[in-house]
Amino acid sequence: MTSPAPPVDLGGLGFEQGAHLLLSRALRQAPPGGRVEVLGTDPALPTHLAAWCRHEGHELEVADPRETPVVARVRAGPLAKARLRGAERAGGPSATQIAGRAPLHWGLAARGALVEAGGPEVPFAVADRDVAWTDLAPRLYRQAAAAQWDPQGAVDWAADFTLPDEVETAVVQVMTYLVENEQAALVVPGRLLAQVHPHFREVLQLLAVQAADEARHVEVFTRRALLRQGAMGTSSVGGRASLATLLTEPDFSIASFLLSVLGEGSFLNLLSFLERHAPDPVTRRISHLVRQDEARHVAFGLGHLEHRAGVDPLLHGRLRAAVERRHDALIGTAGLNRDVFDALVLLAAGSWEPPGIARGWGAVRRLQQEMDEGRRHRLSRLGFPDDEAAALSALHTRNFM
């Protein structure tokens, strides 16, 4: 015979005040088939207890409700655990316990949670581990969270410097170009983030921080552009057309490839160039800070694609087709804004003397070569043969991003 569980004395506590918590706890602790005796003085206890037992599937025996305290006995019924019938664990909480595929009916459930059966499917486009994941994601997210910087405190906006008007105009033009590109780099991770099943939460967290990085970059480049002259530079049709092709790519891996591996990878060289040739301390400082963020974005894109290339033999063909498709779409555009090219030459020249202009021209040509070498190196890391890596790098947009 099953021994009785200890009685639950509710005192004056009513069900509208949380009495069910104590009773549920007692039933969980009772032996299988055991009954729980309930005592209480709340006048509504018999009514509320009966309704609660019907809802939860428990058996109820009530003594004379006119007695005080009310005495009742509750036995856990066969439906008591029906709510969790068919429930499943959403993988494990650790990044080493993620599922190969996250079912859409898991929705927004926390990884490792016990998920009730049923519920709506949330149509996340990226629900396969191999489409979203890289083992670098947890570490990169921790680094990204720790490396956030405040534009107001990290940059000395009151630094004392004076530039010739034409040099300041060149800085403004480069900053305007950078804002335009960083706005594209802000939109893309936002779009990608909405595609990924939250089971792969480190990827979502990393993309969210990446978007925050880009928002900060837009701020500092805009502030530098307006610091002295109070007006922005020019925006070319070709530049905007190039960036528009990034916004329309629906595939998670291909969008990461075009933005992070090719585009932001090329920008690492550009930011190094600007830090080296900056004519003022503010431009030098923000170029340095932004480059640190962009290096992390490139590392994530590479890590993801290296993982994906290891499990998808068709990936290289799709990446190749994406580069060729983008090249064909932009073949009629002018490429890099001429105002931007000339501004880079002037910043590297340091003067209007012919030898200086020649030096600046050579520096920009070397920058383009360094960008090409960097792209070829990253493509080789992804498994492209050297000759194919060189051919694909040559097809990359002349707008750099």
Side-chain angles (χ1 to χ4, degrees):
M1 183 176 179
T2 304
S3 60
V8 178
D9 189 348
L10 298 175
L13 185 68
F15 268 70
E16 75 280 7
Q17 298 170 310
H20 69 283
L21 295 173
L22 297 178
L23 187 50
S24 295
R25 177 173 180 263
L27 287 169
R28 288 196 302 270
Q29 295 175 345
R35 293 182 302 175
V36 173
E37 188 174 80
V38 183
L39 296 85
T41 59
D42 178 50
L45 179 59
T47 301
H48 290 172
L49 181 58
W52 182 79
C53 286
R54 284 195 304 271
H55 182 269
E56 298 296 319
H58 301 307
E59 299 175 11
L60 174 63
E61 302 172 13
V62 181
D64 189 342
R66 291 171 296 183
E67 293 183 1
T68 302
V70 174
V71 178
R73 293 179 179 85
V74 178
R75 187 197 306 270
L79 300 179
K81 297 184 179 180
R83 183 171 65 88
L84 296 180
R85 187 173 297 135
E88 58 184 322
R89 287 285 174 190
S94 165
T96 63
Q97 298 172 295
I98 59 176
R101 177 171 179 80
L104 299 184
H105 67 263
W106 284 359
L108 299 173
R111 193 170 66 215
L114 185 60
V115 182
E116 291 181 10
E121 292 192 349
V122 183
F124 294 107
V126 180
D128 287 313
R129 176 183 188 274
D130 290 333
V131 176
W133 192 248
T134 169
D135 289 335
L136 293 175
R139 177 167 60 85
L140 286 175
Y141 170 67
R142 290 192 298 270
Q143 292 177 353
Q148 296 300 290
W149 46 275
D150 174 16
Q152 184 61 33
V155 180
D156 181 8
W157 299 102
D160 184 19
F161 68 89
T162 302
L163 300 179
D165 288 345
E166 291 171 310
V167 175
E168 178 64 26
T169 298
V171 173
V172 169
Q173 181 58 63
V174 172
M175 294 297 115
T176 302
Y177 162 80
L178 290 173
V179 169
E180 191 170 88
N181 282 265
E182 295 293 72
Q183 288 181 156
L186 168 59
V187 172
V188 172
R191 289 180 57 249
L192 297 180
L193 192 156
Q195 296 182 22
V196 180
H197 197 298
H199 183 72
F200 311 108
R201 58 180 172 79
E202 290 85 356
V203 173
L204 264 70
Q205 291 166 319
L206 194 54
L207 288 170
V209 176
Q210 183 170 333
D213 288 343
E214 304 298 1
R216 190 169 56 244
H217 301 169
V218 169
E219 176 185 346
V220 296
F221 289 142
T222 300
R223 288 181 67 170
R224 175 60 189 93
L226 301 176
L227 193 60
R228 291 290 189 267
Q229 294 185 349
M232 303 296 284
T234 63
S235 170
S236 70
V237 172
R240 296 197 308 279
S242 176
L243 296 175
T245 61
L246 295 175
L247 307 185
T248 56
E249 178 51 61
D251 183 87
F252 180 85
S253 295
I254 292 177
S256 298
F257 172 68
L258 294 176
L259 174 67
S260 298
V261 176
L262 296 181
E264 290 179 309
S266 297
F267 261 53
L268 292 180
N269 299 105
L270 176 59
L271 292 165
S272 292
F273 176 95
L274 291 174
E275 184 177 4
R276 186 164 58 249
H277 296 291
D280 65 87
V282 175
T283 300
R284 185 176 306 110
R285 177 62 173 163
I286 62 177
S287 298
H288 174 77
L289 291 169
V290 170
R291 189 184 188 283
Q292 291 180 322
D293 292 341
E294 297 293 353
R296 199 169 50 247
H297 305 170
V298 175
F300 169 61
L302 272 174
H304 162 66
L305 288 160
E306 285 179 316
H307 173 85
R308 182 109 194 243
V311 296
D312 182 0
L314 302 179
L315 179 65
H316 289 98
R318 295 196 296 118
L319 297 180
R320 182 187 312 110
V323 173
E324 294 170 346
R325 183 169 61 248
R326 190 179 186 209
H327 175 266
D328 291 345
L330 298 174
I331 199 166
T333 64
L336 183 66
N337 184 342
R338 171 55 61 180
D339 293 338
V340 175
F341 185 93
D342 291 348
L344 293 173
V345 170
L346 179 57
L347 294 182
S351 78
W352 284 101
E353 297 298 320
I357 296 298
R359 182 171 58 251
W361 185 276
V364 174
R365 295 300 298 169
R366 285 192 299 276
L367 168 63
Q368 293 172 312
Q369 293 168 0
E370 291 167 1
M371 289 179 169
D372 176 61
E373 291 169 0
R375 289 192 299 268
R376 284 189 281 130
H377 173 71
R378 289 186 292 276
L379 288 164
S380 296
R381 277 188 56 180
L382 295 180
F384 286 98
D386 289 347
D387 57 342
E388 190 170 3
L392 290 176
S393 178
L395 294 179
H396 182 64
T397 173
R398 290 167 290 177
N399 192 50
F400 300 164
M401 181 67 82

